[in-house]
Amino acid sequence: MHTHPAVTALSDRIKATMAAAIRRSRPQAEQPDPLVRRGDRADFQADAALSLARSAGRPPRELAADIAAAVDGDGLLDRIEVSGPGFLNLTLADAELWKQVARRLDAGLGLPSPYAATVTVVDYSAPNVAKQMHVGHLRSTVIGDALSRLLEALGGTVIRQNHVGDWGTQFGMLIQYIDEHPEAEWRDLGDGAVARVAALDALYRAAAALFREDPAFAERARARVVALQAGEEATLAVWRELVAVSQEAFSATYRRLGVELSDVDLDGESRYNPFLDEVIAELTEAGIVVESEGALCVFTEGFDGPDGNPVPLIVRKSDGGYGYAATDLATIRHRARDLKAGRMLYVVDARQARHFAQVFATARRAGWITGEHTVVHVAFGTVLGPDGRPFKTRAGDTVPLTSLLEAAVTGARAVVEEKNPALDPAEFDRIAEAAGIGAVKYADLSTARTTDYRFDIERMVSLNGDTGVYLQYAHARTASILRKAGGAGTAGVDAALPMNPAERALTLHLDGYAAVLTQAAGLNEPHRISTFLFRLAKLISAFYDTSPVLDAPTPESRRNRLALVSLAGGTLRHGLSLLGIVAPDRM
């Protein structure tokens, strides 16, 4: 959480100034929104006169002139002009823009804390024990991580929850197969936990095939499930091994991805097994569950199938077993009652929309979540291959996440080597890794989360266009300028200097950073941060083209421009950090 005081954005100061002017010019009228927005012909435009004209019974241009005459900008505004049918074009004073650069530098960007009193549970990643993380886990992991970082940057308390699949029928099947095939290698592989889980994944596939083909094995596997659920020690011992090696593999992948998930965030399905009977008892006592064909179900109005018949949420199957619905209900009850979360974000792909809608509706009916809770399924689209089809291997299997990351780093190595062949080998490896991983994450987080996107490594690692590497390079360039300045002349901003158009455009964009973060958090849309950062990088480049920094014409303009470079670089670095992307000082 940041500790600096928040800096009021110039747009908010203008809105307050224009609202006060409207009150002075029309003291008897109901107070309207001044309708301030960024303008094409000036820094900002206020459109209130057009909306007020009818109730005032006056031409909008005349009304706009009255409002302009009533403005007391206290040095904030340089010009106010009536334009078109009654717009007010507002141009800020250069001195106020330079002062704002200084304020944000002094306050460490000066971000607000709108989530200071809020506890949010973010449920994301959720791989399965004894299976490799694959491309399908990428979006949940990086989107959930970005939202967690963003909420914390805005003052919130975040409880990360990695709801791993570590319980159920599949484990009885796998443990039975391992027991019957002692020659199967997975424990003693020397290539680390990720390799051991890859071996377990292959064993799971073999076990699943045998389960389908051999009724006798299927019967033994079901008996093993019963033993696992009953706590039989030999079965539990193998299960604990599977969980431990998977946990180690998950952690290795998270470290490489730069994702803030650790072992303390694990929240496996097994944790809720002891509470499932209790959950059913509460739902039964409340009259929410009904028996249907031997199963216990919840029927909620509004959930119908294509045939018009109601679709149940099955909380206990006809054989007495529990599925995902019961575990998810126990989970949401725990998060509301025990973790005291006011907000819950479930970062899970869009195909689970009906399931979560039914779970949330049932939890509301049970009274576990109320009108004071915000519970959101943060749905996302699919990762596609370069051909626009769902990403699969040639054999039709899901692509392991480690393979994608390795391919991206390999692609980034070629780009970095071409750009800077003289880099020290250790630094080269570090930068290539940061660029490759950053490229993967940025490609995901620069896409509106509900849409699909193509995983195209050549495009993702390009130094041109809307890519993570382009933004990392933009940051490295700001760091290079500040490094060459040696810190000399960076202190102090001279507000008396005029501002050229490139300096002005960059300053105004930087001042909108906090508003973009607040909007991204409110809508759970981290791509809005990416859009802001890409625009920022382009404005920095345009600024360099017209505004020499180290060779500025005067010491005062050099200091001012260095301050602007410092603020731009700091904002880029902060924004990339919210996306979980490293911002190297050299590339």
Side-chain angles (χ1 to χ4, degrees):
M1 186 188 301
H2 58 83
T3 56
H4 294 288
V7 172
T8 303
L10 293 168
S11 59
D12 289 335
R13 290 176 60 193
I14 288 175
K15 287 173 188 174
T17 295
M18 297 310 296
I22 293 169
R23 279 196 299 273
R24 280 192 290 272
S25 64
R26 303 189 69 243
Q28 307 305 318
E30 183 179 341
Q31 174 60 29
D33 184 330
L35 301 176
V36 171
R37 57 188 173 87
R38 286 295 301 274
D40 296 327
R41 299 184 180 182
D43 297 332
F44 291 92
Q45 182 177 295
D47 300 344
L50 281 80
S51 66
L52 288 170
R54 177 170 292 185
S55 62
R58 298 174 61 194
R61 278 186 65 90
E62 187 180 296
L63 192 57
D66 282 356
I67 294 170
V71 168
D72 178 6
D74 193 25
L76 176 64
L77 292 168
D78 181 53
R79 289 192 311 280
I80 306 175
E81 298 170 333
V82 178
S83 173
F87 304 127
L88 282 171
N89 287 336
L90 312 170
T91 301
L92 289 161
D94 290 353
E96 277 303 315
L97 289 165
W98 283 124
K99 287 177 186 176
Q100 193 74 345
V101 170
R103 290 185 195 107
R104 292 212 175 273
L105 278 175
D106 291 343
L109 304 187
L111 300 178
S113 300
Y115 292 90
T118 305
V119 176
T120 304
V121 163
V122 183
D123 182 324
Y124 64 109
S125 194
N128 292 309
V129 162
K131 290 186 180 179
Q132 296 183 90
M133 290 183 72
H134 55 74
V135 65
H137 294 111
L138 177 63
R139 300 212 72 185
S140 174
T141 304
V142 301
I143 293 171
D145 185 58
L147 291 176
S148 298
R149 292 168 181 263
L150 173 58
L151 291 168
E152 287 176 335
L154 295 176
T157 298
V158 173
I159 301 174
R160 293 163 170 80
Q161 297 278 267
N162 190 1
H163 194 64
V164 296
D166 65 351
W167 200 248
T169 305
Q170 67 269 34
F171 291 99
M173 182 180 73
L174 177 58
I175 292 168
Q176 185 64 31
Y177 188 88
I178 288 171
D179 195 41
E180 295 181 9
H181 296 79
E183 76 284 357
E185 290 288 341
W186 68 275
R187 287 185 174 94
D188 300 323
L189 296 176
D191 296 332
V194 173
R196 291 197 291 278
V197 169
L200 282 172
D201 201 326
L203 291 180
Y204 174 82
R205 293 167 191 265
L210 190 60
F211 187 90
R212 289 191 299 269
E213 297 161 6
D214 185 344
F217 174 76
E219 192 60 36
R220 295 194 299 275
R222 291 190 188 98
R224 184 68 73 149
V225 175
V226 174
L228 177 62
Q229 293 175 338
E232 192 264 314
E233 187 50 42
T235 300
L236 271 180
V238 180
W239 175 78
R240 289 190 196 102
E241 276 190 278
L242 299 177
V243 171
V245 72
S246 300
Q247 197 169 316
E248 193 180 337
F250 299 156
S251 293
T253 301
Y254 295 143
R255 281 194 300 272
R256 188 169 197 194
L257 263 177
V259 167
E260 293 182 337
L261 273 176
S262 66
D263 290 352
V264 299
D265 304 314
L266 284 171
D267 186 55
E269 293 172 5
S270 60
R271 170 182 182 165
Y272 297 97
N273 199 51
F275 306 109
L276 300 183
D277 288 342
E278 194 178 300
V279 165
I280 297 300
E282 282 192 39
L283 294 174
T284 303
E285 188 176 343
I288 294 170
V289 294
V290 297
E291 188 174 327
S292 176
E293 299 180 16
L296 289 182
C297 304
V298 177
F299 290 92
T300 302
E301 189 176 346
F303 294 99
D304 299 326
D307 56 3
N309 292 323
V311 176
L313 182 72
I314 301 173
V315 294
R316 194 174 72 195
K317 294 179 280 191
S318 56
D319 63 2
Y322 294 109
Y324 295 122
T327 303
D328 286 340
L329 286 167
T331 304
I332 200 169
R333 185 183 73 149
H334 166 69
R335 290 169 180 176
R337 284 186 181 176
D338 304 324
L339 299 183
K340 310 296 183 189
R343 300 174 78 246
M344 299 173 219
L345 306 181
Y346 286 74
V347 188
V348 185
D349 81 60
R351 291 171 294 182
Q352 301 297 318
R354 179 187 284 274
H355 168 76
F356 281 111
Q358 288 182 286
V359 168
F360 298 162
T362 301
R364 285 194 174 89
R365 290 176 64 188
W368 300 330
I369 57 175
T370 67
E372 296 180 358
H373 294 94
T374 299
V375 185
V376 182
H377 173 207
V378 182
F380 53 83
T382 304
V383 181
L384 306 174
D387 59 359
R389 298 177 180 176
F391 213 140
K392 300 282 185 181
T393 65
R394 288 185 180 178
D397 299 323
T398 52
V399 180
L401 187 50
T402 51
S403 299
L404 290 186
L405 299 183
E406 199 57 55
V409 171
T410 299
R413 289 178 71 86
V415 172
V416 174
E417 188 171 24
E418 183 179 345
K419 187 70 179 175
N420 196 345
L423 276 173
D424 172 77
E427 188 170 23
F428 171 72
D429 288 343
R430 182 178 59 79
I431 290 172
E433 180 78 9
I437 301 300
V440 170
K441 296 174 85 169
Y442 187 81
D444 196 305
L445 295 169
S446 61
T447 305
R449 63 173 166 78
T450 54
T451 62
D452 301 339
Y453 77 94
R454 297 189 184 197
F455 196 96
D456 183 341
I457 288 172
E458 186 175 343
R459 186 190 65 80
M460 288 160 63
V461 299
S462 172
L463 269 171
N464 301 308
D466 190 6
T467 68
V469 181
Y470 174 72
L471 295 188
Q472 288 173 315
Y473 181 70
H475 173 267
R477 197 172 174 192
T478 66
S480 174
I481 289 171
L482 295 172
R483 197 164 51 245
K484 289 173 182 174
T490 58
V493 170
D494 187 344
L497 291 186
M499 245 194 189
N500 69 34
E503 292 167 334
R504 186 177 213 88
L506 181 54
T507 301
L508 285 167
H509 187 69
L510 287 166
D511 201 52
Y513 182 52
V516 168
L517 297 190
T518 303
Q519 186 182 50
L523 297 171
N524 301 308
E525 292 183 344
H527 78 274
R528 294 176 182 272
I529 304 172
S530 303
T531 300
F532 175 92
L533 295 178
F534 179 55
R535 173 70 178 152
L536 173 57
K538 291 175 75 77
L539 287 170
I540 293 171
S541 182
F543 162 73
Y544 293 149
D545 289 344
T546 62
S547 315
V549 180
L550 298 176
D551 297 324
T554 67
E556 293 79 13
S557 64
R558 186 179 193 268
R559 280 199 301 271
N560 278 24
R561 288 174 182 175
L562 282 170
L564 197 45
V565 169
S566 181
L567 180 59
T571 303
L572 255 181
R573 183 169 59 252
H574 186 271
L576 286 170
S577 77
L578 295 185
L579 302 180
I581 296 173
V582 174
D585 285 346
R586 288 181 170 85
M587 281 193 77

